[in-house]
Amino acid sequence: MAKNTGLSKLEDRLAAILADRETRSQRRRLSTFPPHSVDFSSNSYLSLSLTPEIRQTYLELLKSVPDSTPLFGSGGSRLLDGNSPLSEDLEREVAAFHGAPTGLLFNSGFDANAGLFACLTQPGDVVVYDELAHASMHDGMRASRAALCVPFRHNCVYPEQVQRCQDSTTSKRKDGPKSLRETLHQLLGSDDEPLSAALRSGERNVFIAVEGVYSMDGDVAPLKDIVACIEHRLPRGNGYLIVDEAHSTGIFGDQGRGLVCELGLEDKVFLRLHTFGKAMGSAGAIVLCSPVTREYLINYARTLVYTTALPTSCLASIKVTYAFLSTPQFDDVRQKLRWLMRYTHSVLVAICARHTTQDDQPTSSDRLLIRVNPTPPTSPIIPLLTSQPRSLAAFCQQRGLVVRPIVAPTVPEGSERVRICLHAANTKEQVDRLGQAIEEWGVTTSRAAASGRPRDKAAGPSAAQQFLKPSL
Ligand SMILES: Cc1ncc(COP(=O)(O)O)c(C=O)c1O
């Protein structure tokens, strides 16, 4: 007899799907942490939304907004009543700051990617994307009219890099996407394939989609090599590079202009996306592109046309944060973050040396392992590889240190990790506390393993779970 769960048939089905996800240890849950927890998790790398000068300027700007201007809601889509002189001025200012001809605001980076990938590709075009490209690009590609969307091996422009990556201890994959050069070669190479001929003649376009900094590894795209490869393989100029600077905005380039500006590639990149929800500490995003591309997006990007535009309160926060980037204090903030990156890395390297197995096997399930890239980080994201990310993250969370476990399928199997994100407002003492917690976890977990106790029990429930548990 069917169990009466009080759920409709649909809800029964949804519950079963969730239960299945749970058994695969992939169920997602919302969590909150006690107010004084230490943030080693959010993407607010520069802690700008906590900076007193920015908060003060923001409040003053809000006070100066006339009563006749809506503050909390824009009242409609940019194409109807949601446009304003503030939006247009901000687009001009931000585009000029990043050395781009024009800019177009979107409500989020997700909206921007989903909208632009869906509409820019023309029938028969191809998208070649880094295999770790963000979900929003995938949503856009899925809705697009592209003939093909093909991944290339993460950050590998040349075949030798794929080989090196396969030989490395973190990646045991022997198959999978090829390098960018090989991928383009294959697409263009076939003599009797009409698509190849159309790409070779320049009749069809290839969009190459990458990120500036990748959110899970914190590694930086080899943009100069990518540009050189595109120019070499697509000499007719039908290769269009799109760079998502979600995690490089504010971190790279003079005054935080981003990676493209740092490398002087402004004229080589077809379109850039800067988001304001990460280092900029606000919300929303801007697409930097040519005037005609901007006009096209205004007409065809559904995630812009059919949504209520950003409110004045949000535009004001973006404006004051950009103004702060040009102040001497901003240099201090970035220097502090860079110091923390070096210091944290040295702490982690020392701990890992004490808690890494002899043969350094990251996928081995019966050995304790913590491993950090020996090269100092170039971004504030430091992955700490471990075969037990949930246990380690929970152990830290119980001590008020918020780090997150990242498991497959978000990252490839065998490269599970705890993601440590540093912020300008973090202190040396907080990093030391984090180091101590990781060290303690290493010792506790080794002992538990030696005595045959199940290791996942070592840490108990996460602080988030405890916080959500009703008190008895
Ligand atoms: C690379 C990348 N692009 C786009 C987005 C989406 O940006 P937003 O959070 O503004 O929607 C994210 C967010 O996680 C991201 O990591």
Side-chain angles (χ1 to χ4, degrees):
M1 211 172 78
K3 231 181 4 185
N4 186 359
T5 56
L7 299 177
S8 68
K9 264 195 171 168
L10 170 66
E11 286 172 320
D12 259 338
R13 173 90 189 107
L14 303 184
I17 294 169
L18 287 172
D20 180 54
R21 195 159 213 188
E22 181 94 56
T23 58
R24 286 180 281 123
S25 302
Q26 287 175 359
R27 181 153 174 184
R28 298 177 168 122
R29 285 194 164 82
L30 296 176
S31 57
T32 57
F33 291 93
H36 297 296
S37 306
V38 182
D39 178 12
F40 283 113
S41 169
S42 82
N43 296 320
S44 187
Y45 311 116
L46 295 165
S47 309
L48 295 184
S49 59
L50 300 175
T51 306
E53 293 83 354
I54 298 183
R55 289 166 81 118
Q56 187 58 34
T57 323
Y58 173 67
L59 294 174
E60 278 159 20
L61 183 58
L62 286 192
K63 274 193 213 141
S64 72
V65 173
D67 288 348
S68 55
T69 301
L71 197 54
F72 308 123
S74 65
S77 153
R78 279 295 291 285
L79 279 101
L80 299 173
D81 306 293
N83 199 21
S84 63
L86 180 55
S87 323
E88 295 192 353
D89 288 348
L90 190 62
E91 285 175 337
R92 272 190 291 273
E93 282 168 24
V94 174
F97 177 81
H98 292 285
T102 62
L104 183 63
L105 291 165
F106 279 77
N107 288 356
S108 70
F110 197 105
D111 278 1
N113 274 336
L116 72 91
F117 278 94
C119 75
L120 283 178
T121 44
Q122 303 300 306
D125 287 351
V126 171
V127 186
V128 175
Y129 61 94
D130 187 290
E131 64 177 326
L132 297 190
H134 191 256
S136 50
M137 297 194 220
H138 283 270
D139 278 22
M141 286 188 262
R142 240 177 257 152
S144 80
R145 295 162 295 173
L148 277 176
C149 296
V150 196
F152 69 92
R153 182 64 73 109
H154 171 56
N155 265 355
C156 293
V157 180
Y158 306 111
E160 312 83 79
Q161 293 169 315
V162 177
Q163 191 55 48
R164 235 177 286 141
C165 166
Q166 279 174 184
D167 294 343
S168 83
T169 50
T170 53
S171 176
K172 293 291 164 202
R173 291 186 304 160
K174 293 291 171 220
D175 48 7
K178 296 188 169 17
S179 68
L180 175 62
R181 194 170 81 179
E182 288 169 294
T183 307
L184 291 176
H185 180 75
Q186 261 183 3
L187 278 169
L188 296 157
S190 168
D191 279 340
D192 44 33
E193 173 61 57
L195 179 61
S196 290
L199 295 174
R200 276 199 307 272
S201 69
E203 197 190 318
R204 296 276 176 257
N205 308 302
V206 184
F207 292 87
I208 298 91
V210 300
E211 298 179 19
V213 168
Y214 287 85
S215 60
M216 293 301 140
D217 290 308
D219 53 348
V220 178
L223 282 188
K224 282 197 166 167
D225 286 350
I226 290 172
V227 166
C229 179
I230 296 169
E231 288 183 345
H232 181 244
R233 288 282 156 197
L234 296 157
R236 292 181 187 268
N238 56 329
Y240 296 93
L241 178 58
I242 296 179
V243 183
D244 179 337
E245 296 234 38
H247 296 273
S248 41
T249 307
I251 305 297
F252 284 84
D254 184 33
Q255 296 179 334
R257 285 178 167 83
L259 187 63
V260 170
C261 286
E262 174 160 317
L263 300 173
L265 296 173
E266 294 90 323
D267 296 336
K268 304 285 186 182
V269 175
F270 170 65
L271 183 150
R272 281 175 271 167
L273 170 68
H274 288 276
T275 66
F276 309 133
K278 304 192 192 296
M280 299 296 283
S282 179
I286 192 164
V287 166
L288 304 178
C289 55
S290 69
V292 70
T293 309
R294 181 176 184 271
E295 284 302 308
Y296 183 87
L297 292 173
I298 290 173
N299 278 273
Y300 290 105
R302 295 169 69 82
T303 52
L304 175 93
V305 176
Y306 297 108
T307 187
T308 301
L310 291 173
T312 300
S313 52
C314 184
L315 298 174
S317 75
I318 299 164
K319 191 178 170 69
V320 298
T321 307
Y322 264 91
F324 184 78
L325 303 186
S326 311
T327 65
Q329 285 144 285
F330 179 65
D331 281 342
D332 300 341
V333 169
R334 280 217 303 191
Q335 271 179 23
K336 162 95 188 290
L337 182 62
R338 286 191 189 127
W339 183 87
L340 277 170
M341 282 156 50
R342 286 194 300 275
Y343 180 67
T344 309
H345 182 254
S346 68
V347 168
L348 293 174
V349 166
I351 296 170
C352 288
R354 292 191 285 276
H355 294 283
T356 302
T357 47
Q358 295 282 309
D359 57 356
D360 205 21
Q361 292 289 317
T363 50
S364 174
S365 58
D366 58 356
R367 291 185 180 92
L368 165 66
L369 183 104
I370 334 173
R371 216 170 66 88
V372 72
N373 189 338
T375 316
T378 42
S379 81
I381 304 162
I382 309 183
L384 188 58
L385 295 174
T386 168
S387 52
Q388 302 177 61
R390 289 180 198 282
S391 164
L392 174 54
F395 194 90
C396 295
Q397 288 168 11
Q398 281 177 317
R399 283 146 187 83
L401 305 160
V402 182
V403 289
R404 309 269 179 184
I406 312 284
V407 298
T410 304
V411 290
E413 250 171 70
S415 71
E416 286 82 5
R417 79 272 315 264
V418 164
R419 181 177 182 257
I420 298 173
C421 272
L422 296 168
H423 310 95
N426 285 135
T427 61
K428 177 179 177 296
E429 289 67 33
Q430 291 173 347
V431 172
D432 289 339
R433 271 175 61 198
L434 181 66
Q436 277 158 19
I438 296 169
E439 177 86 55
E440 214 182 303
W441 176 83
V443 173
T444 313
T445 311
S446 300
R447 282 199 197 124
S451 67
R453 262 191 290 141
R455 288 170 305 166
D456 282 354
K457 298 277 184 292
S462 72
Q465 286 164 336
Q466 288 192 333
F467 194 58
L468 293 171
K469 229 172 18 184
S471 48
L472 296 171

